[in-house]
Amino acid sequence: MGVRDAIHRNAPLGKPTAMSAPHLPKVAGIDPMVPVSTHTAAPLKSVPPAPAAFIQDRLASWVSDLTTLHELTERLAGTSTLDDALHELLGAGAALVGARRGLLVLEPADGAVPCRTIGLGLAHAELGHIETVPRDATPYGRLLDGLPDTDAPLASPDILGDTSTDPRCREVAARLGYAASYALPLATEATGRLGAAVWLYDEPAEPLERQCHLVGLYARYAAEHVARLAELERARADVAVIAEELLPSRLPRLPGVRLAVRHRSTARGGGDWYDAMPLPDNALGLAVGSVGGSGPAALAAVGRLRAGLRAYAVMEGEDPVAVLSDLELLLRLTEPATAATALYAYCEPDRRTVLLAGAGHTPPLVTGDRRTAFVETSLSAPLGMLPCWEAPSVEFSPGPGETVLLYTDGLLRRTGDSTDRAFARLHAAAAGVPKVLRQDPGALADHVLRTVLPDGLDPSDGGEDVVLLAARFD
């Protein structure tokens, strides 16, 4: 029997008066002078049950949102090019806000490239229609220009029904069949504003608060990823410009010979190079080579080697062995830790003779209507590998209408075959050039490349530079 039971047993049935209220029993630990409330607590069974189902639903919703964000950010992190990242961002954002179409404008605030516009569910012509709207009337234009009150997302839940909307904007929306939009800025603390994304709804609509929160979290991560890829693309573009500047701006024109070249460097900037220079007495110097490594160091070595070869070709052009010997000395003095291959040919087009020497380089290929054969050259070590380099020269005479192909070993390695099979593939490609294409060295080079490398020469396809220099003798 507890205290509450003792009180309950002695309590009167009616409402007691002050004078007739019974005295509380003396119970150990209880002061009978302390007034006790006559109201008792409600039974436990009357307390509403804990909202377990509600909590479970909320937890399930949070877990689902986190899982969705994790999957989307993983997919975005797997993109290695800027274009892929932008398309992934636009598609993922559309899924998060429940839209079907949209566009993304990449326009860094610092004015640096790259700048581009991509669409989701919008054709090129439809993007052109949207761009006819005055920039300050579009959500992405206001975000990109940093107009007042544009630090947060911009929602237009009813474009056609909002009379304050720019008439041209309503006209384009009606023509393209969208009735609402939701725009989000893309920015990072380090780079500032990068661009803006806009998602379009077919009917008047506005994303829920939960959807806005999710797409905002995703956009913050995506902006960091896009900023890194944009910086990488700018660096690659700078390297490509430098690499092109280190090579001839144009090929010389001499009677009796026509030239064409095809060159592709890797994204990091490889060390394959070529040169073609007019020499005294209507002669022509042709060279191809490769420097080990890639990036700025390889490009610097290419620049020094090509400049040195041009000087040595003028001084000792009739002796290709002497040219490469001088080049080997230059390499040991300026690039002691670098190895390079090179092939130099001294050509006299009017006599149709070619005198060449190679240093660890692949042999030229002569192709025409009657023959396709590799030029037999002596084995020699690359430049920089031996204390003193020297190898005998080789002389041959191309026939009328024959083309001499000089190339780098990157062409062979990009095939993915063994060396013997790669040489066989190159030989078969040159032998199979249609007769009508043999008149143009550029068309011949394109056919050979398409046959040897059917997947193309995009810089992202492989880690090897490719140089193919074609000289057709009339």
Side-chain angles (χ1 to χ4, degrees):
M1 301 295 289
V3 176
R4 181 174 298 187
D5 293 333
I7 297 174
H8 179 71
R9 189 173 60 250
N10 291 280
L13 295 177
K15 183 177 180 180
T17 61
M19 296 300 294
S20 62
H23 296 284
L24 294 177
K26 293 183 179 181
V27 182
I30 297 295
D31 186 358
M33 300 304 295
V34 178
V36 179
S37 172
T38 59
H39 299 282
T40 57
L44 292 178
K45 62 182 181 180
S46 64
V47 177
F54 173 76
I55 294 176
Q56 289 178 356
D57 289 344
R58 290 295 299 272
L59 288 176
S61 177
W62 292 338
V63 170
S64 176
D65 291 345
L66 290 175
T67 302
T68 300
L69 281 177
H70 177 71
E71 292 176 353
L72 293 178
T73 53
E74 271 199 337
R75 288 180 53 180
L76 182 66
T79 57
S80 57
T81 65
L82 183 60
D83 285 340
D84 289 344
L86 294 177
H87 282 95
E88 178 64 30
L89 191 165
L90 190 57
L96 289 173
V97 300
R100 190 172 60 89
R101 293 180 290 174
L103 70 150
L104 189 151
V105 180
L106 185 66
E107 188 179 299
D110 58 3
V113 293
C115 297
R116 63 197 61 174
T117 300
I118 64 170
L120 174 67
L122 295 171
H124 184 72
E126 293 174 321
L127 289 175
H129 280 304
I130 294 176
E131 290 177 349
T132 62
V133 179
R135 182 180 173 98
D136 58 356
T138 62
Y140 68 85
R142 296 199 297 272
L143 291 173
L144 293 174
D145 293 340
L147 297 180
D149 302 326
T150 56
D151 293 334
L154 297 178
S156 300
D158 189 2
I159 296 176
L160 302 179
D162 187 357
T163 57
S164 63
T165 305
D166 185 272
R168 179 59 182 168
C169 184
R170 294 203 305 271
E171 177 186 347
V172 171
R175 177 179 299 181
L176 300 185
Y178 63 87
S181 68
Y182 183 74
L184 195 66
L186 300 175
T188 67
E189 293 184 2
T191 61
R193 184 142 307 160
L194 294 171
V198 184
W199 293 280
L200 307 174
Y201 298 88
D202 296 339
E203 302 292 339
E206 186 173 1
L208 303 174
E209 182 180 354
R210 168 175 160 269
Q211 292 174 313
C212 295
H213 178 67
L214 288 177
V215 76
L217 292 176
Y218 178 77
R220 282 196 288 273
Y221 173 82
E224 297 287 348
H225 185 66
V226 167
R228 289 190 294 268
L229 291 179
E231 182 63 28
L232 181 60
E233 184 167 304
R234 283 193 289 266
R236 287 174 175 173
D238 292 341
V239 169
V241 170
I242 295 174
E244 290 300 323
E245 290 296 327
L246 292 175
L247 299 176
S249 58
R250 62 178 182 174
L251 297 175
R253 295 183 178 181
L254 295 176
V257 65
R258 285 183 291 164
L259 303 176
V261 67
R262 299 295 182 264
H263 171 238
R264 296 293 185 278
S265 61
T266 62
R268 295 182 58 194
D272 286 11
W273 56 277
Y274 69 92
D275 208 344
M277 65 209 88
L279 297 174
D281 301 326
N282 293 323
L284 174 68
L286 299 177
V288 291
S290 178
V291 174
S294 60
L299 293 177
V302 166
R304 284 189 283 267
L305 285 179
R306 180 170 170 261
L309 182 135
R310 285 199 152 220
Y312 303 143
V314 172
M315 293 187 297
E316 306 183 66
E318 296 184 12
D319 187 355
V321 172
V323 172
L324 291 186
S325 296
D326 294 341
L327 197 63
E328 196 273 341
L329 178 61
L330 174 68
L331 185 69
R332 284 195 288 116
L333 293 177
T334 60
E335 308 284 343
T338 301
T341 65
L343 187 147
Y344 174 68
Y346 177 80
C347 309
E348 295 180 285
D350 53 350
R351 297 175 54 197
R352 287 201 304 276
T353 60
V354 178
L355 185 63
L356 65 86
H361 205 79
T362 51
L365 180 63
V366 180
T367 181
D369 293 337
R370 297 184 178 182
R371 66 166 176 168
T372 297
F374 289 101
V375 178
E376 295 186 4
T377 58
S378 59
L379 295 176
S380 59
L383 301 176
M385 297 293 290
L386 299 177
C388 181
W389 178 91
E390 187 170 350
S393 59
V394 175
E395 184 175 358
F396 67 97
S397 297
E402 290 188 330
T403 301
V404 178
L405 298 177
L406 309 181
Y407 53 93
T408 57
D409 53 4
L411 175 61
L412 304 177
R413 287 200 289 264
R414 275 214 185 194
T415 64
D417 295 333
S418 63
T419 302
D420 291 340
R421 293 190 63 181
F423 275 117
R425 180 184 290 192
L426 176 59
H427 184 278
V433 175
K435 186 174 181 179
V436 66
L437 299 181
R438 293 186 178 276
Q439 309 302 317
D440 181 2
L444 187 149
D446 289 334
H447 179 86
V448 169
L449 288 176
R450 284 195 303 268
T451 307
V452 176
L453 302 174
D455 293 333
L457 266 175
D458 190 270
S460 62
D461 289 342
E464 299 288 344
D465 284 13
V466 173
V467 170
L468 180 60
L469 179 60
R472 185 186 188 277
F473 290 83
D474 297 328

